Amino acid sequence: PALQELTSLNATDRNIRVLDGIQYCTNLERLLLSGNNISDLGPLAELPGLKRLYLQDNNISDTSPLSELKDLVELVLTGNDIRDIGPLAELTSLVGLGLWDNNISDIAPLENLTNLQWLDLRENNITDISPLSALTNLMELDLRGNDITDTSPLEELPGLEIRVDEG
């Protein structure tokens, strides 16, 4: 029962490799797992109540278990080895998403995330930002460290603060 009472857990920099057992923390809303050695996110799919999830600096390449977390409003996956963000297209409640320092080139799955207010895509392999033109609630966007030459698809987004490399 004690695990079921947890609503927030900070296990940053604890050399965690496996998440087996986390599924018993059924009331978790906020989970910080940054700076570990996690690669399998499977057990997180059993925590549908998660609202905030921080997984920066791990060994994550497969984000598919996260597609079950429909209540997520903030997700940070910085500093992993993620190439395919397709599973994140299901997370339409997201308000904030951090994907900097990965190996992402195709950002088309993000066009469904119309509630996003901040998005950090620094240090990836992105060249085409046109899918982001659908994100009308976006207020902050960081694209530095990508090979983006055309930001015109974002010109119709009112109030957007965009950071790109100065060419």
Side-chain angles (χ1 to χ4, degrees):
L3 290 179
Q4 294 172 347
E5 293 174 15
L6 276 178
T7 57
S8 181
L9 177 62
N10 184 347
T12 300
D13 296 322
R14 300 288 168 93
N15 202 28
I16 296 170
R17 296 179 187 280
V18 293
L19 293 174
D20 295 345
I22 195 79
Q23 67 270 23
Y24 300 112
C25 301
T26 51
N27 287 309
L28 269 182
E29 293 182 5
R30 184 171 168 263
L31 181 57
L32 293 86
L33 290 168
S34 304
N36 286 292
N37 270 315
I38 299 164
S39 57
D40 178 12
L41 300 178
L44 294 180
E46 306 289 321
L47 300 173
L50 270 180
K51 293 187 178 0
R52 290 177 165 67
L53 180 59
Y54 306 91
L55 289 162
Q56 56 264 50
D57 301 320
N58 277 284
N59 295 313
I60 299 163
S61 57
D62 178 14
T63 61
S64 55
L66 300 180
S67 66
E68 301 296 316
L69 304 179
K70 310 287 191 219
D71 288 347
L72 274 182
V73 292
E74 195 165 79
L75 174 62
V76 179
L77 290 163
T78 306
N80 284 286
D81 190 27
I82 298 167
R83 296 174 196 281
D84 177 15
I85 57 171
L88 304 184
E90 308 281 321
L91 304 180
T92 55
S93 294
L94 280 177
V95 172
L97 179 59
L99 292 169
W100 65 96
D101 192 21
N102 277 286
N103 288 300
I104 300 163
S105 55
D106 178 14
I107 58 171
L110 299 180
E111 66 189 348
N112 297 327
L113 306 183
T114 54
N115 287 314
L116 276 180
Q117 294 177 14
W118 68 264
L119 176 60
D120 199 327
L121 294 168
R122 275 179 286 174
E123 306 297 330
N124 278 288
N125 302 312
I126 300 163
T127 55
D128 176 18
I129 58 170
S130 58
L132 302 181
S133 64
L135 304 182
T136 55
N137 289 309
L138 204 56
M139 302 300 289
E140 293 180 43
L141 174 62
D142 199 332
L143 294 167
R144 293 175 292 179
N146 287 286
D147 193 16
I148 296 166
T149 55
D150 181 16
T151 59
S152 64
L154 304 179
E155 288 174 0
E156 299 300 315
L157 297 179
L160 176 63
E161 179 185 322
I162 180 170
R163 292 183 203 87
V164 291
D165 295 319
E166 299 301 324

